[in-house]
């Protein structure tokens, strides 16, 4: 009798363990563990950005640590239209493509300009915004044209299109020393403390700094700007869908509304 009881008890325990294991496995699958998965019917897309680039993306200190900006609003519209939830991650600009290559993020929206080097690593959507480069300095520095940079130290954001522009200036015969920094506020700080003489920054980004700091000035570089596009993994099936929504936004005026909201005027 005792032997029969022990065998029955063991059978019940084994059955219970099997049920528990099966339930745990189903729960793990339901929770999702990466790109394009999530709770319920909504899938999640992880967006990488560098939140030091107002008005494209920056941290709203009045609302805690929320990242806001033109790129954030644009991403929300596109992902909502395609049926995804959006998760935003703040990453240094120079590490964004590496993060996507590693599978840590699914797309990049960070005012990124397509270049031949980047296009070897990622796919880009159509251009969604075009801006221009400015050489920024302190007013008393008297830097008013490209030739005035001769022998000066120029700061740029690491991995940015402005870094390439600085190299072009140097290759073009203006002898400058190029300094890299991870974030735009670091460049402004280095400028204010005299560690660099000038910085190359996008005009729409520096506009906000000009309004707050009357000691800053600048002049526009006479170069062609390739514009900003969304970066996606190489050979991504999403590129076509992102372009479809972008073109719809251009046609129905929704993109213009975002441009006016964040830049204060029509894109020219």
């Amino acid at each position: 009798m005792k032997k029969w009881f022990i065998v029955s008890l063991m059978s019940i325990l084994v059955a219970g363990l099997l049920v528990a294991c099966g339930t745990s496995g189903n729960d793990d699958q339901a929770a999702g563990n990466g790109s394009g998965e999530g709770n319920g019917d909504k899938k999640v897309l992880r967006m990488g950005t560098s939140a030091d680039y107002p008005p494209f993306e920056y941290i709203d200190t009045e609302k805690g640590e929320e990242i806001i900006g033109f790129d954030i609003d644009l991403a929300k519209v596109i992902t909502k239209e395609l049926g995804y939830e959006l998760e935003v991650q703040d990453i240094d600009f120079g590490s964004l493509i590496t993060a996507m290559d590693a599978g840590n993020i699914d797309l990049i929206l960070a005012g990124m300009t397509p270049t031949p080097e980047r296009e070897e690593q990622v796919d880009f959507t159509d251009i969604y915004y075009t801006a221009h480069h400015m050489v920024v300095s302190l007013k008393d520095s008297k830097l008013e044209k490209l030739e005035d940079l001769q022998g000066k130290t120029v700061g740029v954001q690491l991995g940015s299109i402005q870094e390439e522009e600085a190299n072009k200036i140097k290759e073009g015969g203006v002898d400058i020393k190029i300094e890299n920094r991870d974030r735009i506020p670091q460049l402004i700080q280095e400028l204010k403390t005299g560690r660099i003489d000038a910085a190359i920054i996008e005009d729409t980004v520096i506009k906000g700094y000009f309004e707050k700091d009357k000691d800053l000035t600048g002049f526009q570089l006479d170069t062609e700007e390739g514009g900003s596009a969304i970066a996606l993994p190489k050979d991504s099936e999403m590129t076509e869908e992102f372009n479809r929504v972008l073109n719809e936004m251009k046609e129905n005026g929704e993109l213009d509304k975002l441009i006016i909201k964040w830049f204060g005027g029509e894109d020219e």
Side-chain angles (χ1 to χ4, degrees):
M1 182 72 177
K2 184 185 290 186
K3 187 175 182 179
W4 174 86
F5 176 76
I6 292 173
V7 171
S8 299
L9 182 60
M10 290 180 66
S11 299
I12 293 171
L13 288 172
V14 170
L17 285 171
L18 288 173
V19 171
C21 288
T23 303
S24 175
N26 292 335
D27 288 345
D28 289 341
Q29 292 176 357
N33 58 0
S35 169
E37 295 185 8
N39 293 322
D41 296 331
K42 284 273 188 178
K43 298 178 181 179
V44 176
L45 282 182
R46 300 161 301 172
M47 167 183 152
T49 194
S50 183
D52 63 328
Y53 210 58
F56 287 91
E57 44 268 329
Y58 62 101
I59 296 173
D60 185 355
T61 54
E62 294 182 359
K63 297 181 180 179
E65 294 299 309
E66 181 182 358
I67 301 175
I68 63 173
F70 173 62
D71 282 344
I72 308 303
D73 280 0
L74 178 60
K76 286 178 179 178
V77 173
I78 294 174
T79 52
K80 181 180 179 181
E81 175 66 23
L82 295 177
Y84 291 98
E85 287 184 352
L86 181 67
E87 176 186 300
V88 180
Q89 298 182 24
D90 185 15
I91 301 170
D92 286 345
F93 188 86
S95 300
L96 284 167
I97 290 180
T98 301
M100 191 157 69
D101 284 342
N104 296 327
I105 54 176
D106 305 305
L107 68 140
I108 298 169
L109 243 165
M112 183 174 281
T113 298
T115 65
E117 293 77 16
R118 289 171 181 166
E119 288 174 337
E120 290 179 1
Q121 299 174 277
V122 301
D123 282 349
F124 282 102
T125 64
D126 297 335
I127 298 297
Y128 63 83
Y129 187 79
T130 301
H132 303 279
H133 307 301
M134 289 198 73
V135 174
V136 181
S137 63
L138 299 178
K139 285 185 177 179
D140 59 7
S141 67
K142 303 286 198 266
L143 300 179
E144 300 174 351
K145 58 186 182 300
L146 205 56
E147 291 72 22
D148 294 337
L149 296 179
Q150 180 74 22
K152 304 296 184 182
T153 300
V154 178
V156 291
Q157 187 176 32
L158 181 64
S160 68
I161 193 70
Q162 288 79 31
E163 184 176 19
E164 295 183 16
E165 290 300 324
N167 285 317
K168 289 178 183 177
I169 291 171
K170 190 169 185 177
E171 292 166 2
V174 181
D175 186 20
I176 60 174
K177 179 183 178 183
I178 302 171
E179 292 278 343
N180 298 316
R181 296 295 183 270
D182 288 324
R183 306 232 165 200
I184 298 298
Q186 292 173 344
L187 291 176
I188 300 299
Q189 183 63 27
E190 298 286 72
L191 194 61
K192 298 280 287 184
T193 56
R195 293 190 183 93
I196 61 175
D197 301 300
I200 303 177
I201 301 173
E202 197 166 287
D203 60 349
T204 50
V205 174
I206 199 61
K207 178 182 176 182
Y209 288 96
F210 283 162
E211 292 172 352
K212 295 176 183 178
D213 194 332
K214 301 306 178 184
D215 291 331
L216 296 175
T217 188
F219 62 89
Q220 186 172 306
L221 283 178
D222 185 20
T223 58
E224 292 185 6
E225 167 62 73
S228 300
I230 304 167
L232 294 158
K234 202 67 180 169
D235 301 320
S236 172
E237 297 179 355
M238 291 191 296
T239 306
E240 185 177 345
E241 285 297 289
F242 270 63
N243 276 334
R244 176 181 63 80
V245 179
L246 269 178
N247 288 327
E248 288 175 357
M249 293 179 68
K250 291 175 182 178
E251 291 173 0
N252 64 24
E254 195 164 5
L255 186 58
D256 283 339
K257 289 179 181 178
L258 290 182
I259 289 170
I260 292 169
K261 173 183 176 181
W262 290 104
F263 301 106
E266 295 288 348
D267 184 17
E268 297 180 353

